[in-house]
Amino acid sequence: MLISDLRKEFYDVILHKHVLLMVAFDVDALCACKILISLFQCDSVHYTLVPVSGQQDLERAFLEHSEQIKHVVLINCGANINLLDVLQPEDDVTFFVCDSHRPIDLVNVYNDTQVKLLLDSTEQLTIPSYEDIFNDEESDSDDSGNESESSQPDKRRRLDEESIVRKLEKKRARRLWEESRQKIIFQYEEFSFYSTSAAYVIYQLAWKLSKDSNDLLWWSIIGLTDQLLSKKIDREKYFLDASELNRHVSRHNRLGQEEDATQQSVNAMKITFNPELQLALYRHWSLFDSICHSSYTACNLRLWTARGFKKLHEFLADMGMPLTQCKQKFTAMDIAYRETFCDSLQNSGKKYGLDQITVPSFYAQFGYKNKFCAFDAVHAASALLESIEKDKVGDANFLEALDALSRVHLDKLECGLEISKRQHKAIVSQIRTLLDMNHVVSAGPFLYAYIQEGTLDVKFFSKANCLALLARFTLEAFVKMSKSKKVKNLPLVMVAPLNFEQGTSLVVGVPPLMELENSPRSLFGRAFEQTAEKTGSRVLHDSFDPSIFALKTEDRSKFFDALVSLLS
């Protein structure tokens, strides 16, 4: 059941209940969780928080808590699976689902009692009609009257011919309806994509409850920014939602204009909306390293070639930036260069094909020293979620990332920034290897890349989000390096070792570069499922994103041969 009045149909219902809160492992879900927990604390709502990395975690967590809890909130998980079929809940259990994954499972859409889908009021869904998907008519009982017919064999021989014709017509109509139903469902579920950020939706609830603040607004901004950096939404969708959030920024940050600024606390948060450079972590890194490890600059300048590297030095010279300044930490640069480099970068960027080097974004500042861009916060939180440190498990990483979003745990945010730098270095190093060794190949209907076992920093790519980031970066780099125009319209499938002892690999599919920039929609979810069924490959579709799954390494060859045949 679709819900648009979040206050009346969701929050008022759970206000005095014990709630099981299950949250997926992504930054948008983290932010939505932070906002919702803040609301729960305001109203003394009892809750149990459980991070879930996939469907198996979801089933396990629900089974452990199902006897005590009758109200379950799912954030960025559950919308695109049949919850009643997967979890087998009792009739008095209600699920409230705030999930940006699309398409939504049709059983969830049309269940009016146990599944409540929390949506942005402006979202427009294309849902098949109930009559086209579900048939409530009771099947004819062919056994009725058997006793009387068996006692009168003569009547059975004289069955009415019209009755036989009616039954045949009914069977034919049923078969045609089934064929039409399968076609409609296939068209509805053919592509997977993302909708409005979960953090944005929950923030709308906080606003309607008159309990929003700058902190909640900041978390909503980070959730939206995560969708942009992960290529889950296009720029147009980002600009629309960012414009709405900017209205709240103006509303919450007018105090300094209306009153004496000295009345504000030194540590009060202030959010601003300004253009941001598409350079990863440059405020916490050197300018040179940031340019080399950012997808936009690295791909457009083709920094994997000697010619591209020479072009980078020419670019910096054109900016008037000495190499010694660029290679030291940004905060250690001479103030004259630090204050003018942004304008210089934009002016010189137009000559070098970097005309879209800036994107509107948000900044949060508290105190005199602490100023963070939403881009940096996303990189840090994402890196903490997928930290590969030996002494940490999934739940510990989740809680670490959750804490890093709070102002009181800046040390954890700084730790996340350092991990993110290592991730970016590993990604760029891997892309250089893939391009130099010609390991990105065309399989016909898609591009294919495989990361060998034993590769340096391969552990980073056993994590779904990091592998997806590598895949998108690799696709953009390959398209820029390739002379063929056809590759712009080809998606990429990337495979990386997942568990060497178990002999499994992690597979991720990303849409073509043209679609990533305009309308990110992936066909790999259904294609992967059909291929696995056809070949009998041993796969595990555990991720909430259908375009990410685990595969037995032994089955890789036959699986991809069949995938090529399916998509050709």
Side-chain angles (χ1 to χ4, degrees), residues 59 91 172 221 243 258 262 395 419 459 470 541:
E59 295 176 41
D91 293 340
R172 180 175 179 273
I221 289 168
S243 298
E258 298 174 356
T262 58
D395 289 359
I419 297 174
K459 288 185 178 180
L470 171 65
H541 290 279

Side-chain angles (χ1 to χ4, degrees), residues 212-231:
D212 58 323
S213 64
N214 252 353
D215 286 290
L216 273 61
L217 177 57
W218 177 238
W219 294 328
S220 177
I221 289 168
I222 295 174
L224 174 62
T225 307
D226 173 55
Q227 285 197 315
L228 176 70
L229 294 181
S230 302
K231 305 289 186 183

Side-chain angles (χ1 to χ4, degrees), residues 105-133:
D105 186 86
L106 291 172
V107 175
N108 294 339
V109 172
Y110 285 111
N111 185 288
D112 293 335
T113 55
Q114 289 188 267
V115 181
K116 314 291 185 181
L117 299 162
L118 315 183
L119 304 178
D120 177 26
S121 57
T122 62
E123 181 176 356
Q124 296 181 350
L125 292 172
T126 304
I127 304 292
S129 65
Y130 182 88
E131 294 76 15
D132 290 336
I133 305 300

Side-chain angles (χ1 to χ4, degrees), residues 379-475:
H379 287 308
S382 181
L384 287 171
L385 274 177
E386 296 192 334
S387 174
I388 57 174
E389 294 181 26
K390 293 181 180 180
D391 59 337
K392 292 183 180 179
V393 294
D395 289 359
N397 288 339
F398 181 92
L399 296 175
E400 191 100 346
L402 199 66
D403 287 341
L405 295 176
S406 301
R407 284 188 277 165
V408 295
H409 295 292
L410 291 180
D411 56 328
K412 295 184 178 180
L413 185 65
E414 295 287 351
C415 178
L417 293 172
E418 293 303 316
I419 297 174
S420 182
K421 291 178 189 177
R422 296 202 298 270
Q423 280 187 352
H424 279 80
K425 288 179 180 179
I427 287 171
V428 169
S429 176
Q430 184 60 52
I431 292 173
R432 182 177 288 108
T433 300
L434 290 171
L435 295 178
D436 289 346
M437 303 297 291
N438 295 319
H439 283 172
V440 181
V441 297
S442 175
F446 59 88
L447 300 171
Y448 174 78
Y450 174 67
I451 300 173
Q452 299 286 341
E453 179 67 40
T455 304
L456 186 65
D457 294 325
V458 72
K459 288 185 178 180
F460 281 111
F461 310 122
S462 63
K463 306 293 185 179
N465 292 333
C466 191
L467 183 61
L469 178 60
L470 171 65
R472 292 190 296 270
F473 204 151
T474 301
L475 177 61

Side-chain angles (χ1 to χ4, degrees), residues 492-506:
L492 171 69
V493 178
M494 180 165 282
V495 184
L498 178 60
N499 189 310
F500 179 73
E501 295 178 355
Q502 298 178 4
T504 56
S505 298
L506 187 63

Side-chain angles (χ1 to χ4, degrees), residues 448-551:
Y448 174 78
Y450 174 67
I451 300 173
Q452 299 286 341
E453 179 67 40
T455 304
L456 186 65
D457 294 325
V458 72
K459 288 185 178 180
F460 281 111
F461 310 122
S462 63
K463 306 293 185 179
N465 292 333
C466 191
L467 183 61
L469 178 60
L470 171 65
R472 292 190 296 270
F473 204 151
T474 301
L475 177 61
E476 186 176 355
F478 185 78
V479 169
K480 296 292 184 182
M481 296 288 289
S482 176
K483 296 179 181 179
S484 172
K485 295 181 179 180
K486 179 184 176 183
V487 295
K488 291 183 179 181
N489 298 313
L490 292 179
L492 171 69
V493 178
M494 180 165 282
V495 184
L498 178 60
N499 189 310
F500 179 73
E501 295 178 355
Q502 298 178 4
T504 56
S505 298
L506 187 63
V507 184
V508 60
V510 296
L513 185 62
M514 295 294 291
E515 292 187 16
L516 275 175
E517 295 175 347
N518 300 316
S519 180
R521 298 165 66 90
S522 175
L523 55 78
F524 281 119
R526 287 300 300 268
F528 287 159
E529 288 180 8
Q530 292 179 6
T531 304
E533 292 175 4
K534 182 179 179 181
T535 60
S537 300
R538 292 162 291 178
V539 301
L540 177 61
H541 290 279
D542 189 49
S543 174
F544 299 117
D545 186 334
S547 61
I548 300 173
F549 73 102
L551 169 71

Side-chain angles (χ1 to χ4, degrees), residues 229-285:
L229 294 181
S230 302
K231 305 289 186 183
K232 294 177 179 178
I233 58 174
D234 55 30
R235 283 196 171 201
E236 182 179 356
K237 171 66 174 171
Y238 170 77
F239 290 154
L240 289 173
D241 290 348
S243 298
E244 288 297 320
L245 288 176
N246 190 33
R247 296 180 183 178
H248 294 288
V249 169
S250 300
R251 179 168 56 87
H252 279 289
N253 294 271
R254 292 183 303 180
L255 186 61
Q257 301 172 11
E258 298 174 356
E259 301 179 14
D260 185 0
T262 58
Q263 296 180 12
Q264 300 183 67
S265 169
V266 172
N267 290 322
M269 176 183 282
K270 181 181 179 182
I271 302 177
T272 55
F273 184 59
N274 288 304
E276 168 65 359
L277 298 172
Q278 293 195 64
L279 297 179
L281 308 169
Y282 73 89
R283 291 184 183 83
H284 313 277
W285 215 347

